Amino acid sequence: MKRRLCFVILTFLILICGITQPVNAADNTKENEILFFVENHANTAEATCVTFGKYCLLGIRTKGIILKSDNDKYIAEIEEGVKQIAPEIDRVYITTNLQETLILKDARKRLDEGDSLIDVYRYLQKKYPNQLDKIISKYL
């Protein structure tokens, strides 16, 4: 039951956000500016960004961060910087979890290939069923 509810809510969000602003890597300059900012931070090893509507998803592999307090400070700096670059973004979801970052990187690749948000969600649901449910439930 909870799984279906998460699916329905996520699908609804994707549809609404997809209608207001389609995900398109070719003309998304804000996304490129966000990536430039994040990747130029001293503690960033690699970053993946997906924006849609008023949402920004960032999967980040960090370097040189050992303490949780340093990680929290880093995330706060990144979130503040993203909101300065793109004030129209209301929510910034940042993960430094390697598995979640790899899933987001896989989603970004599919979007760059021209897949719709719904197609990407179905692909991820099939490839990462348990992990995707865990990630969705964390943010809902």
Side-chain angles (χ1 to χ4, degrees):
M1 179 70 177
K2 184 178 178 183
R3 188 176 187 171
R4 287 182 193 255
L5 179 61
C6 287
F7 176 77
V8 169
I9 291 172
L10 184 65
T11 302
F12 179 74
L13 281 173
I14 288 172
L15 287 173
I16 296 300
C17 294
I19 291 169
T20 59
Q21 179 181 348
V23 177
N24 190 346
D27 62 349
N28 200 342
T29 57
K30 286 294 182 188
E31 195 169 277
N32 291 334
E33 289 177 36
I34 291 168
L35 265 177
F36 182 79
F37 166 74
V38 174
E39 289 176 340
N40 284 308
H41 192 285
N43 295 110
T44 301
E46 180 183 13
T48 302
C49 180
V50 175
T51 59
F52 57 95
K54 296 182 177 191
Y55 301 93
C56 177
L57 307 170
L58 284 167
I60 303 172
R61 292 185 54 211
T62 60
K63 62 182 178 185
I65 295 178
I66 298 171
L67 302 174
K68 183 177 179 349
S69 59
D70 291 340
N71 191 55
D72 293 343
K73 181 181 174 189
Y74 170 79
I75 288 174
E77 289 173 6
I78 296 298
E79 185 173 354
E80 183 180 321
V82 168
K83 288 185 177 183
Q84 286 178 357
I85 292 168
E88 67 276 4
I89 291 181
D90 287 340
R91 296 290 308 253
V92 180
Y93 298 100
I94 301 171
T95 183
T96 56
N97 177 289
L98 179 60
Q99 186 172 27
E100 292 175 6
T101 300
L102 292 174
I103 291 171
L104 190 57
K105 191 174 187 175
D106 202 5
R108 175 79 267 162
K109 180 181 173 206
R110 301 288 296 205
L111 290 167
D112 289 344
E113 292 171 355
D115 290 356
S116 70
L117 285 171
I118 298 297
D119 291 338
V120 171
Y121 176 78
R122 289 182 184 140
Y123 166 78
L124 294 176
Q125 183 64 33
K126 191 179 283 186
K127 187 170 180 180
Y128 309 101
N130 298 330
Q131 297 91 337
L132 196 60
D133 286 342
K134 183 180 173 187
I135 294 168
I136 292 169
S137 65
K138 186 186 337 181
Y139 293 110
L140 288 181

Short mmCIF file of all heavy atoms in Angstrom, two decimals, residues 11 20 25 47 53 55-56 65 77 84-85 91 98 103 107 113 119-121 127 130:
data_model
loop_
_atom_site.label_atom_id
_atom_site.label_comp_id
_atom_site.label_asym_id
_atom_site.label_seq_id
_atom_site.Cartn_x
_atom_site.Cartn_y
_atom_site.Cartn_z
N THR A 11 4.65 10.03 -9.27
CA THR A 11 4.17 10.18 -10.65
C THR A 11 3.44 11.50 -10.82
O THR A 11 3.65 12.22 -11.80
CB THR A 11 3.25 9.00 -11.02
OG1 THR A 11 3.97 7.79 -10.85
CG2 THR A 11 2.79 9.11 -12.46
N THR A 20 5.27 21.96 -16.20
CA THR A 20 5.66 23.34 -15.99
C THR A 20 7.02 23.67 -16.57
O THR A 20 7.25 24.76 -17.03
CB THR A 20 5.67 23.69 -14.48
OG1 THR A 20 6.59 22.83 -13.82
CG2 THR A 20 4.30 23.57 -13.89
N ALA A 25 18.42 18.79 -21.36
CA ALA A 25 19.81 19.13 -21.08
C ALA A 25 20.37 20.15 -22.06
O ALA A 25 21.26 20.91 -21.72
CB ALA A 25 20.66 17.87 -21.11
N ALA A 47 29.79 15.62 -9.48
CA ALA A 47 28.41 15.99 -9.20
C ALA A 47 27.52 15.68 -10.39
O ALA A 47 27.95 15.72 -11.54
CB ALA A 47 28.31 17.47 -8.86
N GLY A 53 10.99 21.76 -12.94
CA GLY A 53 10.08 22.66 -12.23
C GLY A 53 10.84 23.49 -11.23
O GLY A 53 11.83 24.14 -11.56
N TYR A 55 12.35 22.21 -8.58
CA TYR A 55 13.14 21.25 -7.82
C TYR A 55 14.51 21.04 -8.44
O TYR A 55 14.66 21.06 -9.66
CB TYR A 55 12.41 19.90 -7.75
CG TYR A 55 11.05 20.02 -7.12
CD1 TYR A 55 9.92 20.21 -7.90
CD2 TYR A 55 10.90 19.97 -5.74
CE1 TYR A 55 8.67 20.33 -7.32
CE2 TYR A 55 9.65 20.09 -5.16
CZ TYR A 55 8.54 20.28 -5.95
OH TYR A 55 7.32 20.41 -5.38
N CYS A 56 15.48 20.80 -7.60
CA CYS A 56 16.83 20.50 -8.04
C CYS A 56 17.31 19.28 -7.25
O CYS A 56 17.25 19.27 -6.02
CB CYS A 56 17.76 21.68 -7.77
SG CYS A 56 19.48 21.37 -8.22
N ILE A 65 36.07 15.21 3.18
CA ILE A 65 35.12 15.41 4.26
C ILE A 65 35.10 14.14 5.10
O ILE A 65 34.79 13.06 4.60
CB ILE A 65 33.71 15.73 3.73
CG1 ILE A 65 33.71 17.06 3.00
CG2 ILE A 65 32.70 15.75 4.88
CD1 ILE A 65 32.38 17.45 2.41
N GLU A 77 26.24 24.93 2.37
CA GLU A 77 26.89 25.84 1.43
C GLU A 77 26.40 25.60 0.00
O GLU A 77 26.13 26.54 -0.74
CB GLU A 77 28.41 25.66 1.47
CG GLU A 77 29.07 26.18 2.71
CD GLU A 77 30.56 25.83 2.78
OE1 GLU A 77 31.11 25.28 1.79
OE2 GLU A 77 31.17 26.10 3.83
N GLN A 84 21.04 30.84 -4.79
CA GLN A 84 21.49 32.13 -5.30
C GLN A 84 21.58 32.11 -6.82
O GLN A 84 21.24 33.08 -7.49
CB GLN A 84 22.84 32.51 -4.71
CG GLN A 84 22.77 32.94 -3.27
CD GLN A 84 24.14 33.27 -2.68
OE1 GLN A 84 25.16 33.12 -3.35
NE2 GLN A 84 24.15 33.71 -1.44
N ILE A 85 22.04 30.99 -7.36
CA ILE A 85 22.16 30.86 -8.81
C ILE A 85 20.80 30.79 -9.48
O ILE A 85 20.57 31.39 -10.51
CB ILE A 85 22.99 29.60 -9.17
CG1 ILE A 85 24.43 29.80 -8.73
CG2 ILE A 85 22.91 29.28 -10.66
CD1 ILE A 85 25.26 28.53 -8.78
N ARG A 91 13.06 23.83 -3.80
CA ARG A 91 13.59 22.70 -3.02
C ARG A 91 14.85 22.16 -3.69
O ARG A 91 14.86 21.89 -4.88
CB ARG A 91 12.56 21.57 -2.93
CG ARG A 91 11.28 21.89 -2.21
CD ARG A 91 11.45 22.05 -0.70
NE ARG A 91 12.12 20.93 -0.06
CZ ARG A 91 11.54 20.03 0.70
NH1 ARG A 91 10.26 20.08 0.93
NH2 ARG A 91 12.25 19.07 1.26
N LEU A 98 26.65 7.32 -2.04
CA LEU A 98 27.18 6.85 -3.32
C LEU A 98 26.12 6.15 -4.16
O LEU A 98 26.00 6.42 -5.36
CB LEU A 98 28.38 5.92 -3.09
CG LEU A 98 29.02 5.36 -4.35
CD1 LEU A 98 29.53 6.47 -5.26
CD2 LEU A 98 30.14 4.40 -4.00
N ILE A 103 22.44 6.31 -8.90
CA ILE A 103 21.08 6.22 -9.46
C ILE A 103 20.74 7.53 -10.16
O ILE A 103 20.20 7.54 -11.27
CB ILE A 103 20.06 5.87 -8.37
CG1 ILE A 103 20.27 4.43 -7.89
CG2 ILE A 103 18.63 6.06 -8.87
CD1 ILE A 103 19.46 4.04 -6.67
N ALA A 107 19.87 8.30 -14.06
CA ALA A 107 18.69 9.05 -14.50
C ALA A 107 19.10 10.20 -15.42
O ALA A 107 18.47 10.43 -16.46
CB ALA A 107 17.93 9.58 -13.29
N GLU A 113 19.59 11.32 -23.05
CA GLU A 113 19.30 10.53 -24.25
C GLU A 113 17.91 10.83 -24.81
O GLU A 113 17.54 10.30 -25.85
CB GLU A 113 19.45 9.04 -23.95
CG GLU A 113 20.88 8.62 -23.68
CD GLU A 113 21.01 7.20 -23.17
OE1 GLU A 113 19.97 6.53 -22.93
OE2 GLU A 113 22.15 6.73 -23.01
N ASP A 119 9.36 7.73 -18.35
CA ASP A 119 10.19 6.62 -18.84
C ASP A 119 11.39 6.39 -17.92
O ASP A 119 11.75 5.24 -17.63
CB ASP A 119 10.67 6.87 -20.26
CG ASP A 119 9.55 6.83 -21.28
OD1 ASP A 119 8.50 6.22 -20.99
OD2 ASP A 119 9.72 7.44 -22.36
N VAL A 120 11.99 7.46 -17.47
CA VAL A 120 13.14 7.35 -16.57
C VAL A 120 12.71 6.72 -15.25
O VAL A 120 13.39 5.83 -14.73
CB VAL A 120 13.81 8.73 -16.34
CG1 VAL A 120 14.86 8.64 -15.25
CG2 VAL A 120 14.42 9.24 -17.62
N TYR A 121 11.57 7.16 -14.72
CA TYR A 121 11.09 6.58 -13.47
C TYR A 121 10.83 5.09 -13.63
O TYR A 121 11.23 4.29 -12.78
CB TYR A 121 9.81 7.28 -12.98
CG TYR A 121 9.28 6.64 -11.74
CD1 TYR A 121 9.85 6.89 -10.50
CD2 TYR A 121 8.22 5.73 -11.81
CE1 TYR A 121 9.39 6.27 -9.36
CE2 TYR A 121 7.76 5.10 -10.66
CZ TYR A 121 8.35 5.38 -9.45
OH TYR A 121 7.90 4.76 -8.32
N LYS A 127 15.14 -1.21 -12.55
CA LYS A 127 16.55 -1.51 -12.29
C LYS A 127 16.91 -1.47 -10.80
O LYS A 127 17.73 -2.26 -10.35
CB LYS A 127 17.43 -0.52 -13.05
CG LYS A 127 18.91 -0.86 -13.00
CD LYS A 127 19.71 -0.02 -13.94
CE LYS A 127 21.20 -0.39 -13.85
NZ LYS A 127 22.02 0.41 -14.74
N ASN A 130 14.20 -1.75 -4.87
CA ASN A 130 14.28 -1.53 -3.43
C ASN A 130 14.92 -0.20 -3.08
O ASN A 130 14.47 0.51 -2.19
CB ASN A 130 15.05 -2.67 -2.76
CG ASN A 130 14.36 -4.00 -2.94
OD1 ASN A 130 13.13 -4.06 -3.05
ND2 ASN A 130 15.13 -5.07 -2.98
#
